[in-house]
Amino acid sequence: MERPHAPATERNRDPILAILRRHFTGRHRVLEIGSGTGQHAVHFAAALPHLSWQTSDQPQYLPGIRLWLDEARLLNTPDPVTLDVNAPPALRMRFDAVFSANTLHIMSWPEVERLFALLPDVMTPDAVFCYYGPFNYGGRFTSASNAQFDAALKQDGPQRGIRDFEAVDALARDAGMVLVEDAEMPANNRCVTWRQVVA
């Protein structure tokens, strides 16, 4: 089996890393939701060795993630775990940071809702959640390329599509988080960070 490879990951990993360096300073355990190929995990874990970087995804993606982790041989990347928002497992530990990239537009909207409902169960008080991907604002696309991307997504599955930032931010607030930063990124993407509010 060859390692899976997503070219976009190599293009966006360093701009994302610059954001993570700010918001994951002082953190210890990161849960990456929807690790995909595993490329982000090995790049970020190598650059941020103070973090334990826990990959996760649906079962069919775990062998590919393991190939990347096994080749990198990093000490801070434990074996990937299964995480499906439609059948969320009871994870044995909580995380003070959560990261996900390019997952919300692949999920259906009910699955996005389930993802945010899951977060309080896996996050410690004052944990941060950093998400990378495209958003609409005020119900409008931010670029012609995003409109084309959305159309392509809906061809693959009508339940897919670029999400409205305001609706996602409302889910975050319902999950007990507040917006910390909404950063502009290359290729009409955003990197949005929320923080869990300490009760």
Side-chain angles (χ1 to χ4, degrees):
M1 178 180 176
E2 292 187 3
R3 289 183 308 168
H5 182 262
T9 301
E10 293 185 358
R11 294 193 297 269
N12 65 35
R13 63 187 187 180
D14 287 324
I16 296 172
L17 178 59
I19 300 287
L20 299 185
R21 286 190 189 279
R22 293 205 305 271
H23 294 294
F24 286 6
T25 297
R27 306 290 161 172
H28 303 285
R29 294 191 302 274
V30 180
L31 172 65
E32 182 182 8
I33 297 175
S35 298
T37 64
Q39 289 168 262
H40 271 153
V42 297
H43 186 69
F44 299 150
L48 303 168
H50 69 284
L51 295 172
S52 173
W53 194 280
Q54 177 64 66
T55 52
S56 74
D57 213 314
Q58 296 177 358
Q60 65 267 30
Y61 298 108
L62 301 191
I65 294 170
R66 287 192 183 97
L67 289 176
W68 280 92
L69 299 186
D70 289 348
E71 181 175 288
R73 296 188 180 188
L74 299 171
L75 297 178
N76 58 332
T77 53
D79 200 46
V81 296
T82 297
L83 198 160
D84 184 339
V85 297
N86 294 310
L91 298 176
R92 287 183 291 178
M93 66 173 61
R94 292 195 173 212
F95 301 85
D96 54 8
V98 177
F99 172 75
S100 190
N102 291 320
T103 53
L104 301 186
H105 55 263
I106 300 299
M107 299 176 175
S108 68
W109 182 248
E111 289 172 330
V112 175
E113 293 177 317
R114 285 194 280 275
L115 168 63
F116 277 85
L118 168 72
L119 290 177
D121 293 331
V122 301
M123 297 171 74
T124 62
D126 201 36
V128 294
F129 174 39
C130 187
Y131 179 80
Y132 170 86
F135 284 102
N136 294 334
Y137 290 83
R140 296 183 178 182
F141 297 109
T142 60
S143 67
S145 62
N146 275 9
Q148 293 166 359
F149 180 51
D150 184 78
L153 287 167
K154 287 181 167 59
Q155 282 188 337
D156 289 338
Q159 78 281 5
R160 296 182 172 187
I162 296 177
R163 305 303 172 192
D164 288 339
F165 170 80
E166 295 83 0
V168 174
D169 186 53
L171 294 180
R173 284 187 276 111
D174 288 344
M177 291 182 279
V178 294
L179 180 66
V180 175
E181 183 181 31
D182 179 4
E184 184 176 357
M185 304 292 281
N188 301 301
N189 286 297
R190 313 292 298 188
C191 203
V192 183
T193 304
W194 292 272
R195 178 176 51 80
Q196 194 80 348
V197 178
V198 180

